[in-house]
């Protein structure tokens, strides 16, 4: 398996994988996620591929993209509350459902971690939805820990 920066010819496979993640989210939280939505379409991906603050890594096996890791370089400066820091945020990490459990996710994560270190980032961050227990367990196994949580109270079930 090879991990490299994504290229324009990878866009169709990226879209297919984004569809898998979209379906996972729509099944896990249909009250939040639309079943027909993609996080990024082809024009958006083309723009991201040209943005040096948005590295995209792909895992390639037998000339097929079998996973991706979309990242965002975040520079926190002059914030009235937060200390200055450089973060590499994992915007999305996906392994083709037919290849899960084969180490591709670990390889993509470790590649992003290595990239963050060589880019002199202070931290590696991401968000995980609470329903996605597989992802939560995966990231904990990779050494990540909870930094903050978003909580909710659905109002339609709440008495006044």
């Amino acid at each position: 398996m090879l991990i490299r920066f994504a290229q324009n010819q990878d866009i169709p496979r990226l879209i297919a994988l984004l569809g898998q993640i979209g379906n996972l989210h729509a099944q896990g939280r249909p009250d939040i996620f639309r079943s027909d939505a993609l996080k990024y379409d082809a024009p958006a991906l083309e723009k991201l591929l040209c943005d040096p603050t948005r590295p995209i890594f792909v895992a390639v096996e037998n000339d097929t993209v079998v996973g991706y890791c979309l990242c965002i370089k975040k520079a926190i400066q002059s914030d009235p509350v937060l200390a200055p820091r450089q973060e590499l945020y994992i915007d999305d990490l996906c392994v083709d459902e037919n290849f899960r459990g084969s180490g591709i996710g670990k390889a993509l994560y470790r590649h992003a971690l290595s990239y963050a270190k060589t880019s002199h980032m202070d931290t590696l961050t991401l968000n995980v939805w609470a329903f996605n227990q597989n992802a939560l367990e995966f990231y904990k196994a990779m050494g990540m820990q909870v930094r903050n949580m978003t909580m909710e109270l659905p109002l339609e079930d709440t008495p006044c």
Side-chain angles (χ1 to χ4, degrees), residues 98-113:
N98 298 312
F99 291 86
R100 292 184 187 148
S102 62
I104 294 168
K106 287 179 183 177
L108 282 164
Y109 175 86
R110 288 181 179 135
H111 191 85
L113 178 60

Side-chain angles (χ1 to χ4, degrees), residues 26-85:
Q27 289 170 5
R29 286 298 303 261
D31 58 318
I32 296 175
F33 294 102
R34 296 181 359 204
S35 61
D36 62 343
L38 288 174
K39 188 172 190 172
Y40 301 107
D41 61 10
L45 288 169
E46 286 178 20
K47 286 182 183 177
L48 293 180
L49 289 172
C50 296
D51 185 342
T53 68
R54 302 291 298 259
I56 301 174
F57 308 110
V58 291
V60 180
E61 191 141 322
N62 297 324
D63 296 324
T64 301
V65 172
V66 294
Y68 67 73
C69 184
L70 287 78
C71 300
I72 304 171
K73 291 180 178 181
K74 294 182 175 183
I76 299 166
Q77 300 169 339
S78 303
D79 188 279
V81 176
L82 301 175
R85 62 192 300 120

Side-chain angles (χ1 to χ4, degrees), residues 21 30 34 76 92 107 118 153:
I21 290 296
R34 296 181 359 204
I76 299 166
D92 213 8
T118 60
L153 175 66

Side-chain angles (χ1 to χ4, degrees), residues 152-160:
E152 71 177 332
L153 175 66
L155 298 180
E156 70 273 0
D157 297 331
T158 306
C160 293

